[in-house]
Structures are given as C-alpha cells and as structure tokens.
C-alpha cells in the first residue's frame, strides 16, 4: 500500500467511521449510513483482517484505553525496512509493537530524540509509544518481523513534546501489556 516502503507485506486498516459522506452515486448502505466507494473498500479490507484488528484492539484497550478509542489507522507489516523518516500526516504520537522470530537485539524502533541522541526501543512483544513526527526507523535485523503501528491522522493535534514516552507499568517492573501465547498474527 505504500510504494516507497520496503516490506514483504504492508496493510493499512482504517478505523471504521460512522456517517461517511455519500459521493459516488451508488446505493450501498452500511447499517443505515451510505458508504463511498473508498469506504466500501476499506470496510472489506477490515473484514478480511478482522482477527488481527480485534486482537490489536484488545491489546491497545489494555494499555491505553483512551488512545484505543482515538487512533485512526493500524499499519500491519511483515519485514518492514525503512530509512529514517517522519510521519508528516500524524497529528499525535503512535504506538508500535513487533512480533516474530528475528535476531535478538535487532528490529528495534529507533527514534531521534535530538540531533545527538537516538533512542533504541525494543518493541518485541511490547507496545511502545513514540512520536513519529520525530525522525525514526527500524534497526537492522534478520528473520521474520511483524509490526503493528497504531497511529492518528485526524482529530485534535497533540503538540510535540518528547520523542519517546515512558511505558505504563502495573506493578514494579511489570510491563503494561505482554501478548498472550494466543496472540499470533
């Protein structure tokens, strides 16, 4: 879905919207709301990947229920590799999670916090919150790496403050969410 990105697989799942404007002249109806052609395609794609969407929502609802209700899209990737970039369409920080069998110490989310500091965040089996409006990329790795990226491209603009956010913790040292064994893409 993104021609300038190197990945074996890359799918963007849009959050369903209520009340899509009718702009293509056909009579398709979802519930009681008419849907545009684009909305119909997005709905079909979401239905195809319903299992991933459902598990991704469950994970985010456990970590950050407010963000779970606000993110506008979920990027699902397989073996994403990208050079440093800025997410120019994002209006808020994003959450990232990686899964799979890839090299230890590799496949980290790298974020440029300042001109002289880069944070390397291990997202393997952990949701991490970063601001994609700062330069970021994924470090080199070997193997199979899946990622889920939850992001926001509309709504209230959250001012940029920090590149990396501290994870929430339940009890001393326990991360806010760890995928159960059943969490398989």
């Amino acid at each position: 879905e993104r021609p300038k990105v190197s990945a074996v697989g890359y799918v963007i799942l849009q959050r369903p919207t209520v009340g899509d404007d009718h702009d293509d002249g056909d009579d398709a109806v979802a519930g009681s709301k008419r849907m545009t052609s684009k909305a119909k395609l997005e709905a079909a794609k979401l239905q195809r990947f319903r299992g991933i969407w459902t598990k991704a929502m469950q994970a985010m609802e456990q970590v950050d229920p407010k963000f779970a209700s606000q993110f506008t899209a979920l990027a699902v990737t397989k073996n994403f590799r990208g050079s440093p970039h800025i997410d120019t369409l994002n209006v808020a920080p994003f959450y990232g999670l990686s899964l799979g069998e890839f090299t230890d110490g590799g496949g980290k989310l790298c974020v440029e916090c300042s001109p002289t500091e880069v944070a390397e965040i291990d997202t393997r089996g952990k949701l991490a919150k970063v601001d994609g409006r700062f330069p970021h990329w994924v470090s080199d790795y070997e193997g199979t790496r899946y990622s889920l990226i939850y992001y926001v491209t509309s709504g209230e603009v959250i001012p940029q403050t920090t590149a990396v956010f501290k994870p929430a913790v339940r009890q001393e040292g326990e991360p806010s969410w760890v995928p159960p064994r059943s969490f398989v893409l």
Side-chain angles (χ1 to χ4, degrees):
E1 289 191 37
R2 291 184 55 196
K4 293 183 180 180
V5 169
S6 173
V8 172
Y10 196 109
V11 175
I12 298 171
L13 302 177
Q14 298 290 335
R15 175 184 292 281
T17 57
V18 177
D20 274 328
D21 293 326
H22 181 68
D23 71 356
D24 61 1
D26 68 32
D27 294 321
V29 175
S32 62
K33 303 293 182 186
R34 292 178 182 215
M35 296 176 71
T36 64
S37 294
K38 182 179 178 184
K40 286 187 273 185
L41 289 172
E42 292 298 336
K45 184 169 37 169
L46 185 62
Q47 187 59 38
R48 179 176 172 208
F49 295 101
R50 176 61 62 188
I52 292 172
W53 178 266
T54 299
K55 288 181 178 187
M57 283 296 297
Q58 291 168 349
M60 185 53 62
E61 287 168 348
Q62 290 180 17
V63 172
D64 189 339
K66 182 177 178 186
F67 189 84
S69 69
Q70 294 172 334
F71 77 91
T72 57
L74 175 70
V76 182
T77 73
K78 179 179 180 183
N79 290 345
F80 173 89
R81 297 184 192 277
S83 58
H85 65 280
I86 295 172
D87 297 333
T88 58
L89 298 179
N90 287 16
V91 299
F94 72 80
Y95 275 91
L97 164 72
S98 62
L99 303 162
E101 297 294 325
F102 55 96
T103 46
D104 286 338
K108 291 183 178 178
L109 177 57
C110 301
V111 184
E112 188 176 292
C113 301
S114 75
T116 60
E117 181 183 9
V118 172
E120 290 188 350
I121 301 124
D122 184 4
T123 60
R124 184 194 305 257
K126 300 173 227 159
L127 278 159
K129 185 178 182 181
V130 302
D131 197 326
R133 296 169 292 180
F134 287 83
H136 62 283
W137 62 96
V138 174
S139 67
D140 289 339
Y141 63 91
E142 292 182 22
T144 303
R145 181 183 181 276
Y146 296 92
S147 65
L148 302 178
I149 306 297
Y150 305 73
Y151 60 98
V152 184
T153 57
S154 63
E156 178 187 356
V157 175
I158 306 300
Q160 284 180 261
T161 56
T162 185
V164 180
F165 295 79
K166 291 187 178 187
V169 280
R170 291 185 198 156
Q171 297 175 4
E172 189 174 325
E174 182 182 340
S176 58
W177 182 81
V178 176
R181 288 182 176 261
S182 63
F183 195 92
V184 176
L185 295 179

